[in-house]
Amino acid sequence: MAYIHEQRIQFFDTDKMQVTHHANYIRFFETARTEYLRSEGLPYSDMEKGDFQIPVLGVEAKFKTPSVYDELIAIECRIGKIAPASFEVEYEIRNAETGKVHVTGRSRHGFTDANLRPIPLKKKNPELYNFFMRLSEQDKK
Amino acid sequence: MAYIHEQRIQFFDTDKMQVTHHANYIRFFETARTEYLRSEGLPYSDMEKGDFQIPVLGVEAKFKTPSVYDELIAIECRIGKIAPASFEVEYEIRNAETGKVHVTGRSRHGFTDANLRPIPLKKKNPELYNFFMRLSEQDKK
Amino acid sequence: MAYIHEQRIQFFDTDKMQVTHHANYIRFFETARTEYLRSEGLPYSDMEKGDFQIPVLGVEAKFKTPSVYDELIAIECRIGKIAPASFEVEYEIRNAETGKVHVTGRSRHGFTDANLRPIPLKKKNPELYNFFMRLSEQDKK
Amino acid sequence: MAYIHEQRIQFFDTDKMQVTHHANYIRFFETARTEYLRSEGLPYSDMEKGDFQIPVLGVEAKFKTPSVYDELIAIECRIGKIAPASFEVEYEIRNAETGKVHVTGRSRHGFTDANLRPIPLKKKNPELYNFFMRLSEQDKK
């Protein structure tokens, strides 16, 4: 079961096509995955104190239908593939009421130290590695 | 030969990792392709008067190295594949002085009318279709 | 009694000083006043259907202390002075837990039609005018 | 004589009112004052290496007429009042061709060290203080 974060499209999220500007969805991805990790007991600010970061290595998105001002959207996110030094997150953004799909996407993240140097997490911090593994398992259900 | 747009990383482009926030590169892509089309005689505002738009259908980016505040970046963009009702643009963002690659990416766009309904451009507006074909050819050289 | 909207500082809200970038507070003002009007039964999207808008004529903000990533902030907003064709909103942004003040500010808005032409609201739409008057009274308590 | 920075309104700068979103002008102020200081030989990144910052203490703006997508704007900025530990910058944003005024505003900045602690600049770094004084004088002409 995936995590779902809801938020409302703000005026400043729209552009002159009168829909949400596409680049903002990349920010919505970030909000949802941060809230997901917090809800599981791992606030990102805690990670950073621990000399640990998960910078974005890549992102992709497909914009299927536009969302509009004042619309309540639901950003579903789930942990995807986990490698020794990176992992993926998958997203689906829908209208929170009708379920209509607006955007799908994924991001890839590295496990790094505070100076953005890659960390082989499985080896260096098995507890944190298992945390991500557990989320990934639970998201498949 | 591809088009190159240069711009400087602003303070508001950075985040607390002290590098450019990844979502901003998606905006930089937009700036570069708009400037490209203008430089070729097709300002996007003109397109819109002509009941024509090129909404973003999809985008992807790989973040290879960070760019930093005050850095001058060069955004190279070239028209990629052109289909009857869509086309692609490819991007490479580098440090303007050293040439170090920061980000690569691509976006896919539909040809639509002002109400975001797809237009088979080749059929409906062969002149505009040929404009994009010519750019694509010239970018391969 | 003023309206309070809470939200969390996101990664993309911060800049390389490792605090919230000042321009983002202007957006937070917008979010709070929109949510306020919705909570009182006047979603802004409804206003627009009614050929009515409240564009920002001016804004000011004082940045007293920085807010940081992952912090929960409380944006208090209250309707201030109401004139025949404009009104003010006042803001105070605090840490939601400690109450420490980060930012104070105000915005001034016109009552206009969909084409941004001023409307003497008191005369043209007394019901809507009274709605704003009622909020202003209630915010003073 | 004031410094003038020109830039073009991008698609992502607009909102569903089909004009530039007001909060973006606060970012334009920042771009212009940064470019101004660079043009005078003081890139902000250099300042920071010198354990020195100029955080924004306050900002205000009046939105007089809207600017639109693809418009070339001219952001005029001049150093205003200088106090021992702070200074002001004044802005006027116009259409670069017609001179029509869109926005006027001002920002107030502190002189601080890298940890945002105020510095009495006149005393601690007279050279830098005189740099700002010189700009202020020259902007009055």
Side-chain angles (χ1 to χ4, degrees):
Chain A
M1 223 184 61
Y3 177 79
I4 292 178
H5 172 75
E6 291 193 354
Q7 71 179 58
R8 208 170 277 277
I9 302 297
Q10 297 298 324
F11 211 90
F12 53 74
D13 289 324
T14 63
D15 65 27
K16 72 186 291 284
M17 275 194 206
Q18 311 204 297
V19 299
T20 303
H21 188 270
H22 68 282
N24 291 328
Y25 292 110
I26 310 301
R27 298 181 162 203
F28 299 168
F29 289 174
E30 180 175 275
T31 302
R33 79 175 164 263
T34 308
E35 296 296 331
Y36 181 21
L37 295 180
R38 174 184 299 103
S39 78
E40 292 290 337
L42 187 75
Y44 193 71
S45 52
D46 274 14
M47 282 202 279
E48 290 184 296
K49 277 171 219 155
D51 189 37
F52 175 68
Q53 296 192 102
I54 49 168
V56 183
L57 304 180
V59 71
E60 57 182 80
K62 286 190 177 127
F63 309 106
K64 292 167 182 296
T65 62
S67 65
V68 297
Y69 172 60
D70 208 43
E71 181 177 340
L72 189 66
I73 58 167
I75 311 165
E76 190 180 299
C77 78
R78 56 183 80 227
I79 307 295
K81 271 179 272 177
I82 300 186
S86 71
F87 69 104
E88 285 191 359
V89 188
E90 296 160 1
Y91 311 88
E92 195 160 58
I93 300 182
R94 290 195 175 92
N95 179 293
E97 280 127 28
T98 67
K100 188 179 184 178
V101 177
H102 293 313
V103 178
T104 61
R106 89 179 50 224
S107 58
R108 202 162 67 81
H109 301 261
F111 298 121
T112 76
D113 67 15
N115 297 313
L116 301 177
R117 274 181 304 239
I119 296 175
L121 196 68
K122 191 174 180 175
K123 208 168 171 180
K124 286 291 172 73
N125 192 333
E127 191 187 2
L128 196 49
Y129 181 80
N130 289 335
F131 170 84
F132 281 100
M133 285 301 285
R134 182 174 61 74
L135 294 191
S136 175
E137 283 310 308
Q138 129 191 342
D139 287 345
K140 281 178 193 152
K141 284 166 202 168
Chain B
M1 226 184 62
Y3 177 79
I4 292 177
H5 173 75
E6 291 194 354
Q7 70 180 57
R8 208 170 277 277
I9 302 299
Q10 297 298 324
F11 212 90
F12 54 73
D13 289 323
T14 63
D15 64 27
K16 73 187 288 286
M17 274 193 207
Q18 310 205 301
V19 299
T20 303
H21 188 270
H22 67 284
N24 291 328
Y25 292 111
I26 311 301
R27 297 181 162 203
F28 299 168
F29 289 174
E30 180 175 274
T31 302
R33 79 177 165 263
T34 308
E35 296 296 330
Y36 182 20
L37 295 181
R38 175 184 299 103
S39 78
E40 291 289 338
L42 188 76
Y44 193 71
S45 52
D46 274 14
M47 281 201 281
E48 289 184 298
K49 278 172 216 154
D51 189 37
F52 176 69
Q53 296 193 102
I54 50 169
V56 182
L57 304 180
V59 72
E60 55 182 81
K62 287 190 177 128
F63 309 105
K64 292 167 182 294
T65 62
S67 65
V68 297
Y69 173 60
D70 209 43
E71 180 177 340
L72 189 66
I73 57 167
I75 313 163
E76 190 180 298
C77 79
R78 56 183 79 228
I79 307 296
K81 272 180 271 176
I82 300 187
S86 71
F87 70 103
E88 286 190 359
V89 188
E90 295 161 2
Y91 311 88
E92 195 160 59
I93 299 182
R94 289 196 175 91
N95 179 292
E97 279 128 28
T98 67
K100 187 178 185 177
V101 177
H102 293 312
V103 177
T104 60
R106 87 180 50 225
S107 58
R108 202 163 67 81
H109 302 261
F111 298 121
T112 75
D113 67 16
N115 298 314
L116 300 177
R117 275 181 303 240
I119 296 175
L121 196 68
K122 190 174 182 176
K123 208 170 171 178
K124 285 291 171 74
N125 192 334
E127 193 187 0
L128 196 50
Y129 182 79
N130 289 334
F131 170 84
F132 281 99
M133 286 301 285
R134 182 174 60 75
L135 294 192
S136 176
E137 283 310 309
Q138 126 191 343
D139 286 346
K140 283 177 193 153
K141 286 166 202 169
Chain C
M1 224 184 62
Y3 176 80
I4 292 178
H5 172 75
E6 291 193 355
Q7 70 179 59
R8 207 169 276 278
I9 302 298
Q10 298 297 325
F11 212 91
F12 54 74
D13 288 324
T14 63
D15 65 28
K16 74 187 288 286
M17 273 195 208
Q18 311 203 299
V19 299
T20 303
H21 188 270
H22 68 283
N24 292 327
Y25 292 110
I26 310 301
R27 297 182 163 203
F28 300 168
F29 289 173
E30 181 175 273
T31 301
R33 80 175 165 262
T34 308
E35 296 297 331
Y36 182 20
L37 294 181
R38 173 183 301 103
S39 79
E40 291 291 338
L42 187 77
Y44 193 72
S45 51
D46 274 13
M47 282 202 279
E48 289 185 298
K49 278 174 216 152
D51 190 36
F52 176 69
Q53 297 192 101
I54 50 168
V56 183
L57 304 180
V59 71
E60 56 183 80
K62 286 191 178 127
F63 309 107
K64 291 165 182 298
T65 63
S67 65
V68 297
Y69 173 60
D70 209 43
E71 180 177 340
L72 189 66
I73 58 168
I75 312 163
E76 189 180 300
C77 78
R78 56 182 81 228
I79 307 294
K81 271 179 273 177
I82 300 186
S86 72
F87 69 103
E88 286 191 358
V89 188
E90 296 161 1
Y91 311 88
E92 195 160 58
I93 299 182
R94 288 196 176 91
N95 179 293
E97 279 126 29
T98 67
K100 187 178 186 179
V101 177
H102 293 312
V103 178
T104 60
R106 87 179 50 224
S107 58
R108 203 162 66 81
H109 301 261
F111 298 121
T112 75
D113 66 16
N115 298 313
L116 301 176
R117 275 181 303 240
I119 296 175
L121 196 68
K122 191 174 181 175
K123 208 169 169 179
K124 285 292 170 73
N125 191 335
E127 192 187 1
L128 197 50
Y129 182 80
N130 288 334
F131 170 84
F132 281 99
M133 286 301 285
R134 183 175 60 75
L135 294 192
S136 176
E137 283 311 308
Q138 127 190 341
D139 287 346
K140 281 177 193 152
K141 284 166 204 169
Chain D
M1 225 186 61
Y3 177 79
I4 292 178
H5 173 74
E6 291 193 353
Q7 71 179 56
R8 207 170 277 278
I9 302 298
Q10 297 298 325
F11 211 90
F12 53 73
D13 289 323
T14 63
D15 65 27
K16 73 186 288 287
M17 276 194 205
Q18 311 205 301
V19 300
T20 302
H21 188 270
H22 67 283
N24 291 327
Y25 291 111
I26 310 302
R27 298 182 162 202
F28 299 168
F29 289 173
E30 180 176 274
T31 302
R33 81 177 163 261
T34 308
E35 296 296 331
Y36 181 20
L37 295 180
R38 175 184 298 104
S39 78
E40 292 290 339
L42 187 76
Y44 193 72
S45 52
D46 273 14
M47 282 201 282
E48 288 184 297
K49 278 172 217 154
D51 189 35
F52 176 68
Q53 296 192 101
I54 49 169
V56 182
L57 304 180
V59 71
E60 56 183 79
K62 286 190 177 129
F63 309 106
K64 291 167 182 295
T65 62
S67 65
V68 297
Y69 173 60
D70 209 43
E71 181 177 339
L72 189 66
I73 57 168
I75 311 164
E76 190 179 300
C77 79
R78 58 183 78 227
I79 307 296
K81 272 179 271 176
I82 301 186
S86 70
F87 69 104
E88 287 191 357
V89 188
E90 297 160 2
Y91 311 88
E92 194 160 60
I93 300 183
R94 290 197 175 90
N95 179 292
E97 279 127 27
T98 67
K100 187 178 184 177
V101 177
H102 292 313
V103 178
T104 61
R106 88 180 49 225
S107 58
R108 202 162 67 82
H109 301 261
F111 298 121
T112 76
D113 66 16
N115 297 315
L116 301 177
R117 275 181 303 240
I119 297 175
L121 196 68
K122 191 175 181 176
K123 208 170 169 179
K124 286 290 171 74
N125 191 335
E127 193 187 1
L128 196 51
Y129 182 79
N130 288 335
F131 170 84
F132 280 100
M133 286 300 284
R134 183 175 59 74
L135 294 191
S136 177
E137 283 310 308
Q138 127 192 342
D139 287 345
K140 282 177 192 153
K141 284 166 201 168

